[in-house]
Amino acid sequence: GKKVLIVYAHQEPKSLNGSLKRVAVEELSKQGCSVTVSDLYAMQFEPRATRNDIVGCLHNSEEFNYGMETWEAYKRGGLSDDLIEEQKKVQEADLLIFQFPLYWFSMPAIMKGWMDRVLVQGFAHEFPNCYDSGLLKNKLALFSFTTGGSKEMYAKGGISGDIRYLLWPMQHGIMHFCGVKVLAPHICFAPEYVSEEKREEMLIAWSQRLKTLWKEEPINCSPEWYFK
Amino acid sequence: GKKVLIVYAHQEPKSLNGSLKRVAVEELSKQGCSVTVSDLYAMQFEPRATRNDIVGCLHNSEEFNYGMETWEAYKRGGLSDDLIEEQKKVQEADLLIFQFPLYWFSMPAIMKGWMDRVLVQGFAHEFPNCYDSGLLKNKLALFSFTTGGSKEMYAKGGISGDIRYLLWPMQHGIMHFCGVKVLAPHICFAPEYVSEEKREEMLIAWSQRLKTLWKEEPINCSPEWYFK
């Protein structure tokens, strides 16, 4: 069975994001996958990149450089326990699903903090091992999120621009940089402004997609996909 | 004198980001501006959007909706003190400068948390008052940041794509959405890989730019600027 890590960022289990997460756990478990969830708010996950992420002495205590210190700490096994725990989950996973409400054209800070702190140099990338040769190659990622704005606002020529524009930093800048292949995003537009029935359909559509997910081809994660 | 708020996110005062912040405070003060700094790491600013941001009872305690609750709390003066404090600084400012190292094609989580939590509905936008009619119109914003990657990597056709691609969510999705006009970004590429002399030149260039900053015209914050 495949291994899936769902990194989930919503405060409310009864939200649509909560339901989408639950649906994914159910459907993927039914397929025989082993599913782990990092429920970031429930874990009170720390988003701030600080000296606390390094156990013991610093490599250079004169001038704190987060990227350098976490790289050194990773190599000597000196990262904080919460990071080691998350890295273990990533290492074991075949597929990473990020489930969140879009906040300001991006992920909520608590999830950005997960990216900033977990995907350290040495673990996820190590120059020149980035992009297609990133250290997390052979894994898949999928961004599944809800929006406040409507599909029309996020259309090409719409006031908020093509939704793909805002996927560039997340899909290319983070996942592709680490070598992870990216499946097409799963987007539920403006669930707060539709009927309960429509929201139910959104859950069914997600469940349906997951049934054949392992047959999907990754997107071609290059500027053409985003900006053409 | 003009009022400037510098929202600053670096752990180390001796870093180039620390120096860029200091240079800005010095140069703008010299011009007679009144300058306020929100030093996010020093403040241990909370990046997580939670129920703690609302003082007293919730509007709907059955199902927690962060956007709805902070909107309602804003209207009745019931946001947490740290948010009220930051909103006061924003309200008074003519110019917002965001000073940070680029983390994963975006701002560090601690700064994303500032955006998520401070720019609440009712304060920064309130449909249909968004984009050109956003509630923070008549203010300016400038993103000033350092990168790990080189200018060549962030060129059109470079492996990381045009640096402007990643500015879309921050400049358009956040600042423009709130009605703030955006000045051209200030980017120091790969300061960790250049000589001390080059870094000194970077500080001088920033100081020089600030001398005539108030004469600058905002960019045309539309897809053409980013993706053409």
Side-chain angles (χ1 to χ4, degrees):
Chain A
K2 298 277 194 181
K3 290 188 173 165
V4 182
L5 171 61
I6 303 179
V7 183
Y8 163 70
H10 202 289
Q11 308 89 348
E12 174 58 65
K14 295 180 199 159
S15 63
L16 187 72
N17 273 280
S19 300
L20 289 161
K21 184 258 290 172
R22 208 162 37 248
V23 160
V25 172
E26 286 168 9
E27 171 55 33
L28 293 166
S29 301
K30 213 190 295 176
Q31 294 175 18
C33 300
S34 137
V35 185
T36 304
V37 177
S38 286
D39 183 340
L40 300 181
Y41 286 105
M43 294 157 74
Q44 299 186 270
F45 188 81
E46 173 61 70
R48 290 164 288 208
T50 71
R51 193 257 177 266
N52 298 336
D53 292 353
I54 298 101
V55 175
C57 290
L58 293 176
H59 183 72
N60 175 3
S61 59
E62 291 298 303
E63 194 177 325
F64 182 73
N65 179 320
Y66 185 79
M68 174 61 70
E69 291 296 341
T70 50
W71 187 15
E72 292 293 337
Y74 175 78
K75 287 188 283 190
R76 64 173 173 80
L79 286 175
S80 61
D81 287 345
D82 59 337
L83 297 189
I84 291 174
E85 185 79 15
E86 293 305 301
Q87 289 178 344
K88 213 177 289 172
K89 297 179 193 171
V90 171
Q91 199 57 71
E92 289 177 357
D94 299 295
L95 167 65
L96 312 172
I97 295 178
F98 297 96
Q99 181 67 57
F100 59 99
L102 197 69
Y103 277 16
W104 291 118
F105 278 45
S106 184
M107 60 193 95
I110 199 169
M111 186 177 279
K112 181 56 165 54
W114 187 94
M115 305 287 179
D116 290 352
R117 297 178 60 236
V118 175
L119 304 176
V120 306
Q121 187 154 6
F123 170 69
H125 55 94
E126 187 157 16
F127 195 80
N129 290 117
C130 57
Y131 291 112
D132 292 345
S133 60
L135 300 179
L136 304 181
K137 58 179 183 291
N138 302 323
K139 297 184 191 300
L140 295 168
L142 191 164
F143 288 85
S144 172
F145 57 97
T146 59
T147 69
S150 67
K151 197 167 181 175
E152 290 67 39
M153 290 167 77
Y154 284 114
K156 207 158 196 145
I159 194 163
S160 293
D162 193 326
I163 192 93
R164 289 188 177 193
Y165 296 165
L166 61 81
L167 289 165
W168 173 256
M170 298 189 274
Q171 295 189 164
H172 180 76
I174 306 178
M175 287 298 126
H176 189 187
F177 189 87
C178 297
V180 180
K181 286 183 189 61
V182 177
L183 297 177
H186 198 83
I187 309 171
C188 294
F189 287 99
E192 291 184 42
Y193 305 99
V194 303
S195 64
E196 188 54 43
E197 196 178 26
K198 278 271 177 216
R199 275 195 295 278
E200 198 52 48
E201 285 172 23
M202 288 173 173
L203 295 176
I204 293 168
W206 178 222
S207 174
Q208 284 300 117
R209 178 173 173 195
L210 290 170
K211 287 189 200 307
T212 55
L213 196 78
W214 302 102
K215 294 179 185 163
E216 289 187 21
E217 286 294 320
I219 66 163
N220 172 20
C221 196
S222 75
E224 289 67 41
W225 190 87
Y226 297 87
F227 310 119
K228 272 289 152 65
Chain B
K2 298 278 194 181
K3 290 188 171 162
V4 181
L5 171 61
I6 303 179
V7 182
Y8 163 71
H10 202 288
Q11 307 90 347
E12 174 58 65
K14 294 180 199 159
S15 63
L16 186 71
N17 272 280
S19 299
L20 289 161
K21 184 258 291 172
R22 211 163 34 251
V23 160
V25 172
E26 286 169 10
E27 171 54 32
L28 293 166
S29 301
K30 214 191 292 174
Q31 293 176 18
C33 299
S34 135
V35 185
T36 303
V37 177
S38 286
D39 183 340
L40 300 181
Y41 287 105
M43 295 157 73
Q44 299 186 272
F45 188 79
E46 171 62 70
R48 291 165 287 208
T50 71
R51 193 258 177 266
N52 298 337
D53 291 352
I54 297 100
V55 176
C57 290
L58 293 176
H59 183 71
N60 177 1
S61 58
E62 290 298 303
E63 195 177 326
F64 183 72
N65 178 320
Y66 185 79
M68 173 61 71
E69 292 296 340
T70 49
W71 187 15
E72 291 294 336
Y74 175 78
K75 286 188 283 191
R76 65 175 171 79
L79 286 175
S80 62
D81 288 345
D82 60 337
L83 297 189
I84 291 176
E85 186 79 15
E86 292 306 300
Q87 290 179 343
K88 212 176 290 173
K89 296 179 193 170
V90 171
Q91 200 56 72
E92 289 177 357
D94 298 296
L95 167 65
L96 311 171
I97 295 178
F98 297 97
Q99 181 67 57
F100 58 99
L102 197 68
Y103 277 17
W104 290 117
F105 278 44
S106 182
M107 60 193 96
I110 199 169
M111 186 177 278
K112 181 55 165 55
W114 188 94
M115 305 286 179
D116 290 352
R117 297 178 63 236
V118 175
L119 304 177
V120 307
Q121 187 155 6
F123 171 68
H125 57 94
E126 188 157 16
F127 195 79
N129 291 116
C130 57
Y131 291 112
D132 291 344
S133 59
L135 301 178
L136 303 182
K137 56 179 184 291
N138 303 321
K139 297 185 190 301
L140 295 167
L142 192 163
F143 287 85
S144 173
F145 57 98
T146 59
T147 69
S150 68
K151 198 168 180 174
E152 290 66 39
M153 290 167 78
Y154 283 113
K156 205 158 199 149
I159 193 163
S160 293
D162 193 326
I163 191 96
R164 290 190 178 192
Y165 296 165
L166 61 82
L167 289 165
W168 173 256
M170 297 189 273
Q171 294 189 164
H172 180 76
I174 307 178
M175 287 298 128
H176 189 186
F177 189 87
C178 298
V180 179
K181 286 182 187 60
V182 177
L183 297 177
H186 198 84
I187 309 169
C188 294
F189 287 98
E192 291 183 41
Y193 306 98
V194 303
S195 64
E196 188 56 42
E197 196 178 26
K198 277 273 178 212
R199 276 195 296 277
E200 197 54 47
E201 285 172 23
M202 288 174 173
L203 295 176
I204 293 169
W206 178 224
S207 175
Q208 284 300 116
R209 177 173 174 194
L210 290 170
K211 288 190 200 306
T212 54
L213 195 79
W214 302 102
K215 293 178 185 164
E216 288 186 21
E217 286 294 320
I219 67 163
N220 172 21
C221 195
S222 74
E224 289 68 39
W225 189 87
Y226 297 87
F227 310 119
K228 273 288 150 69

